[in-house]
Amino acid sequence: MSHGFFLFLTRDELLRIPFSNIVYFEGDGNYTTLMSINKIKSTLAMNLTQTEHHLARSLKKNASLFMRVGKRFIINTEYIYSINTLRRFVILSDGRTFAFRMEVSKEAVRKIRDIVLMLYSHELHDNNR
């Protein structure tokens, strides 16, 4: 997964991180926290909607790499490891070095599940056989 870099420039800081190293973004009012695979958090002075637009412009045709999940999160779809619709959480993990559990709304967890099923339906095996 090599799609370039997320660049964020302010008067005091330049953040340059490969898209593949971003696990998720979490919105908090006028700020967004970026969580990387090495568990380093960076605070961006933009809200989640602005972050979403910045990602779309930066990634262009690869924008589907990230998915808006409810009002609080944008997640890297490459790291969706587990979805629990009953308990309403998603685990983002690379399967080796990190795992983040995210509580999400019922609607959001269903949306994630439906998108994953649509994208990977050809890889699913029926466990009832």
Side-chain angles (χ1 to χ4, degrees):
M1 165 177 42
S2 176
H3 301 290
F5 293 87
F6 180 84
L7 294 171
F8 182 73
L9 177 65
T10 67
R11 184 188 68 176
D12 302 321
E13 181 181 24
L14 170 65
L15 175 65
R16 179 181 175 268
I17 180 169
F19 288 111
S20 60
N21 287 6
I22 299 169
V23 181
Y24 68 88
F25 296 90
E26 182 174 6
D28 185 16
N30 291 328
Y31 296 92
T32 299
T33 300
L34 178 157
M35 179 61 75
S36 68
I37 60 173
N38 57 3
K39 300 179 184 170
I40 294 176
K41 291 183 179 182
S42 300
T43 301
L44 311 175
M46 66 170 72
N47 65 36
L48 199 60
T49 299
Q50 292 168 322
T51 303
E52 187 176 24
H53 293 305
H54 185 73
L55 282 169
R57 283 191 307 273
S58 300
L59 284 167
K60 295 181 176 72
K61 64 182 176 185
N62 294 314
S64 64
L65 177 64
F66 289 91
M67 173 195 313
R68 178 79 180 250
V69 178
K71 296 178 182 178
R72 287 184 45 211
F73 297 106
I74 298 172
I75 64 172
N76 186 329
T77 59
E78 294 288 317
Y79 295 124
I80 297 172
Y81 182 81
S82 174
I83 302 166
N84 189 311
T85 53
L86 182 62
R87 294 194 177 120
R88 297 189 315 226
F89 68 82
V90 176
I91 295 176
L92 301 177
S93 177
D94 67 350
R96 295 183 315 264
T97 58
F98 69 85
F100 297 99
R101 179 180 164 145
M102 306 168 72
E103 306 289 328
V104 295
S105 70
K106 184 181 352 180
E107 295 80 23
V109 78
R110 284 183 180 154
K111 175 185 172 187
I112 296 166
R113 183 179 182 274
D114 290 346
I115 289 173
V116 169
L117 287 173
M118 181 183 67
L119 292 173
Y120 300 102
S121 62
H122 62 283
E123 296 177 20
L124 288 176
H125 301 285
D126 187 355
N127 291 329
N128 297 323
R129 288 186 191 178

